[in-house]
Amino acid sequence: MLIDTYGRVATDLRVSLTDRCNLRCTYCMPEEGLQWLAKPDLLTDDEIVRLIGIAVTSLGIEEVRFTGGEPLLRPGLVGIVERVTALEPRPVTSLTTNGIGLKRTAAALKEAGLDRVNVSLDTLRPDVFKTLTRRDRHGDVLDGLRAAQDAGLTPVKVNTVLMPGLNADEAPDLLAWSMEHGYELRFIEQMPLDAQHGWKREGMVTAGDILTALRTRFDLIPEGAEERGSAPAERWLVNGGPYRVGVIASVTRPFCAACDRTRLTADGQVRTCLFATEETDLRGALRSGAPDEEIARLWRQAMWGKKAGAGLDDPSFVQPDRPMSAIGG
């Protein structure tokens, strides 16, 4: 069991498979990209599967989410998914992706055992997509969403970040479009995970702003805390249901007290939180020949020291020195 001093138990593991990405989203990294991790620093496929196996069989992990960077850029992804879904007990598996490579991989991922996907899409307008991502790939994302739906990687969730002056006016249109296509839409407040450290609290579109915009066209009824559980998204029934829309308000409505996550970076570090300033090295233990029991002990020790919360709305908040592409979303 991965328990911390506040009594929270981690059952959800986020695994970053690569720090690389084929987009250059303005809220994540600079246009020229970043200094990528050297290949020897990355965990191998066998190391990833071994660590996930320890987490599932010895530490109580029930769900595994593959992230990046862009996880579809990982050459061994399908094989990793197949081996992880063969573990006993079998974890629920999902993938967070920008969707660009999903058209060609969705069917293979489903066959390998992947349960569902989250696809990032911030706009319905191709020109705005190009401005936000610095790439002209909007159509590829839409194709990827359709392929995921057709393959049965459902529910297909769409993650959207709204930015002032770019796509902040699109909330109602995005919800109508998602409902039409059967996707589950979740808005995410912009978080301070950009490599340029340009995030400003006063410049973000808040959960309150999003809900106000949605209510200009839809009736929203709160789902309630009991239904939410430890999920990061607060959800609302749209026009009486059954469709729901979610908002992940990491900044203005933090949910740290119910957090059930632990994170593994692409280079084998345990992070207790996206905003943690310390990491625990499991890669070094693996490569020095440590047995599974020792690795499990290191992981438990790391999680025991998890902080109470991120404090994003606190003026004294210190932004992490690693961008989101390096630690997983």
Side-chain angles (χ1 to χ4, degrees):
M1 181 182 293
L2 292 172
I3 189 170
D4 64 32
T5 54
Y6 299 92
R8 296 169 296 191
V9 177
T11 57
D12 185 336
L13 170 61
R14 305 299 169 98
V15 181
S16 175
L17 297 178
T18 178
D19 60 328
R20 296 174 183 265
C21 189
N22 42 13
L23 297 180
R24 296 292 181 270
C25 297
T26 56
Y27 52 77
C28 184
M29 67 173 75
E31 186 171 5
E32 65 274 13
L34 299 167
Q35 182 66 46
W36 307 123
L37 292 167
K39 189 173 181 179
D41 293 336
L42 292 170
L43 292 174
T44 66
D45 293 1
D46 287 344
E47 289 171 336
I48 289 170
V49 174
R50 183 182 169 194
L51 287 174
I52 295 174
I54 293 169
V56 168
T57 61
S58 301
L59 297 173
I61 291 298
E62 299 171 357
E63 299 182 38
V64 176
R65 170 86 60 87
F66 297 106
T67 70
E70 174 44 53
L72 295 182
L73 296 179
R74 177 87 187 198
L77 172 61
V78 172
I80 291 171
V81 171
E82 189 171 33
R83 293 167 68 185
V84 168
T85 55
L87 292 169
E88 292 291 344
R90 183 195 186 282
V92 176
T93 57
S94 59
L95 178 84
T96 295
T97 172
N98 61 31
I100 286 177
L102 204 49
K103 181 179 178 179
R104 69 174 184 274
T105 56
L109 288 167
K110 179 64 176 180
E111 187 176 350
L114 191 72
D115 293 306
R116 63 171 188 81
V117 294
N118 286 25
V119 179
S120 298
L121 180 64
D122 299 325
T123 178
L124 298 177
R125 305 192 294 246
D127 58 325
V128 176
F129 182 92
K130 187 174 181 180
T131 298
L132 278 167
T133 67
R134 305 185 179 102
R135 297 292 186 270
D136 191 11
R137 306 295 297 273
H138 189 258
D140 294 322
V141 180
L142 298 183
D143 288 345
L145 281 161
R146 285 190 289 268
Q149 189 88 290
D150 292 344
L153 293 169
T154 55
V156 175
K157 296 184 179 182
V158 174
N159 292 343
T160 297
V161 176
L162 296 180
M163 307 280 288
L166 287 171
N167 62 340
D169 62 329
E170 289 194 65
D173 289 339
L174 281 159
L175 180 51
W177 173 83
S178 297
M179 292 172 66
E180 177 186 351
H181 290 84
Y183 305 140
E184 186 175 319
L185 180 62
R186 303 193 310 175
F187 292 98
I188 304 175
E189 286 184 338
Q190 184 194 1
M191 292 180 285
L193 291 167
D194 58 308
Q196 312 93 291
H197 288 198
W199 178 86
K200 290 182 173 59
R201 168 66 178 81
E202 60 274 15
M204 61 175 285
V205 179
T206 67
D209 298 331
I210 294 165
L211 293 170
T212 297
L214 292 178
R215 286 185 169 118
T216 63
R217 284 171 56 183
F218 303 96
D219 292 325
L220 302 180
I221 300 173
E223 186 177 57
E226 186 175 333
E227 289 288 333
R228 180 184 184 184
S230 61
E234 291 181 78
R235 298 198 305 179
W236 285 260
L237 285 171
V238 182
N239 295 340
Y243 193 88
R244 291 167 171 80
V245 64
V247 179
I248 299 177
S250 301
V251 178
T252 62
R253 304 182 187 183
F255 41 85
C256 301
C259 181
D260 64 351
R261 298 179 184 180
T262 183
R263 299 176 181 274
L264 184 64
T265 68
D267 55 349
Q269 312 299 305
V270 168
R271 291 181 70 92
T272 59
C273 172
L274 270 175
F275 305 97
T277 54
E278 297 176 349
E279 298 176 332
T280 298
D281 180 22
L282 298 187
R283 184 191 63 196
L286 277 177
R287 296 181 180 178
S288 66
D292 289 0
E293 294 78 8
E294 173 61 14
I295 293 168
R297 185 193 68 79
L298 290 171
W299 209 326
R300 289 190 191 97
Q301 181 177 301
M303 294 305 294
W304 183 250
K306 184 173 182 174
K307 299 290 195 300
L312 306 188
D313 212 20
D314 187 328
S316 64
F317 169 70
V318 177
Q319 185 170 344
D321 58 4
R322 289 234 261 174
M324 184 159 53
S325 64
I327 58 182

